[in-house]
């Protein structure tokens, strides 16, 4: 039996290829991202997409960016809660995937930020994501990185953190910056 939906952590039937904004739930995003491993699991130790998003958001805060951009950094991989984490080398060849991912991400941003990101905001979030990727590659994959080491404003760790703690931290940061 096949379905056109996934059943989320909170019990919502959600179709990732035809999403509805009402089906997007921050607790589902926080839970799923806390359990998804970065690098498709090819890392030295477990490190979740949720932890990565937390690192990005705290880096944005340490750079004195406005709460909207801190929240955008926290949410920037939110579509992966519904689609999974696809590695960059594969993602660039899955053209339909990129469209689904962007549709979902835009929907998440509209729901929690009130709008999609402006081009300059997208650049800032991407820059922080790429800066963090440098350390992910170096510390989690032991991959030599030819680019110069980015200057970071926050301190972060790659220790294994229980998923429930990552989920709780994600939700706490969300509520810190969400303009409810």
């Amino acid at each position: 039996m096949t379905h056109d939906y996934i059943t989320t952590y909170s019990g919502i039937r959600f179709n990732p290829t035809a999403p509805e904004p009402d089906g997007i739930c921050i607790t589902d995003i926080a839970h799923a991202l806390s359990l998804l491993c970065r690098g498709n699991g090819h890392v030295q130790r477990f490190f979740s997409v949720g932890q990565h998003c937390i690192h990005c958001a705290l880096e944005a805060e340490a750079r004195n960016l406005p709460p909207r951009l801190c929240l955008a950094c926290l949410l920037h991989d939110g579509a992966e809660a519904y689609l999974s984490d696809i590695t960059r080398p594969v993602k660039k060849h899955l053209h339909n995937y990129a469209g689904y991912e962007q549709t979902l991400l835009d929907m998440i941003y509209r729901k929690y930020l009130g709008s999609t990101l402006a081009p300059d905001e997208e650049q800032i979030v991407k820059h922080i994501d790429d800066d963090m990727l440098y350390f992910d590659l170096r510390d989690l994959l032991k991959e030599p990185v030819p680019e110069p080491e980015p200057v970071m404003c926050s301190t972060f760790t790659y220790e294994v953190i229980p998923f429930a703690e990552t989920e709780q931290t994600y939700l706490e940061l969300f509520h810190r910056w969400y303009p409810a």
Side-chain angles (χ1 to χ4, degrees):
M1 177 187 318
T2 62
H3 298 286
D4 288 337
Y5 62 85
I6 60 171
T7 303
T8 67
Y9 172 67
S10 66
I12 296 169
R13 289 182 173 176
F14 188 83
N15 183 338
T17 60
E20 294 290 332
D22 290 345
I24 293 171
C25 176
I26 195 61
T27 56
D28 288 335
I29 293 170
H31 182 78
L33 295 185
S34 75
L35 292 167
L36 285 176
C37 190
R38 286 282 284 168
N40 219 26
H42 296 284
V43 289
Q44 299 296 311
R45 60 197 154 290
F46 181 81
F47 185 75
S48 73
V49 174
Q51 287 172 273
H52 164 75
C53 291
I54 289 167
H55 282 183
C56 289
L58 292 174
E59 178 63 22
E61 183 178 61
R63 292 180 186 188
N64 294 313
L65 295 175
R68 174 180 165 83
L69 284 174
C70 296
L71 185 55
C73 283
L74 187 69
L75 297 169
H76 82 278
D77 283 336
E80 293 176 12
Y82 303 100
L83 296 171
S84 196
D85 186 18
I86 306 287
T87 58
R88 284 186 183 193
V90 175
K91 192 182 290 188
K92 68 184 178 185
H93 296 289
L94 300 176
H95 303 292
N96 287 348
Y97 178 90
Y100 294 135
E101 183 179 48
Q102 193 61 56
T103 296
L104 262 172
L105 186 57
D106 287 348
M107 197 174 285
I108 290 167
Y109 284 153
R110 279 192 298 276
K111 182 166 186 161
Y112 296 119
L113 297 175
S115 68
T116 58
L117 298 181
D120 62 319
E121 292 175 318
E122 283 182 22
Q123 286 293 73
I124 292 168
V125 171
K126 178 140 181 47
H127 182 73
I128 290 172
D129 188 32
D130 286 344
D131 284 353
M132 210 50 77
L133 178 62
Y134 173 95
F135 296 97
D136 290 357
L137 291 170
R138 187 190 75 188
D139 298 342
L140 291 173
L141 293 168
K142 304 300 182 206
E143 181 76 25
V145 188
E147 292 86 18
E149 182 174 316
V151 175
M152 304 303 279
C153 297
S154 64
T155 56
F156 48 92
T157 177
Y158 286 99
E159 71 181 282
V160 177
I161 297 174
F163 81 88
E165 186 178 325
T166 297
E167 181 178 348
Q168 179 180 349
T169 301
Y170 190 102
L171 289 170
E172 287 170 0
L173 290 174
F174 173 82
H175 291 295
R176 179 190 306 175
W177 297 312
Y178 182 61

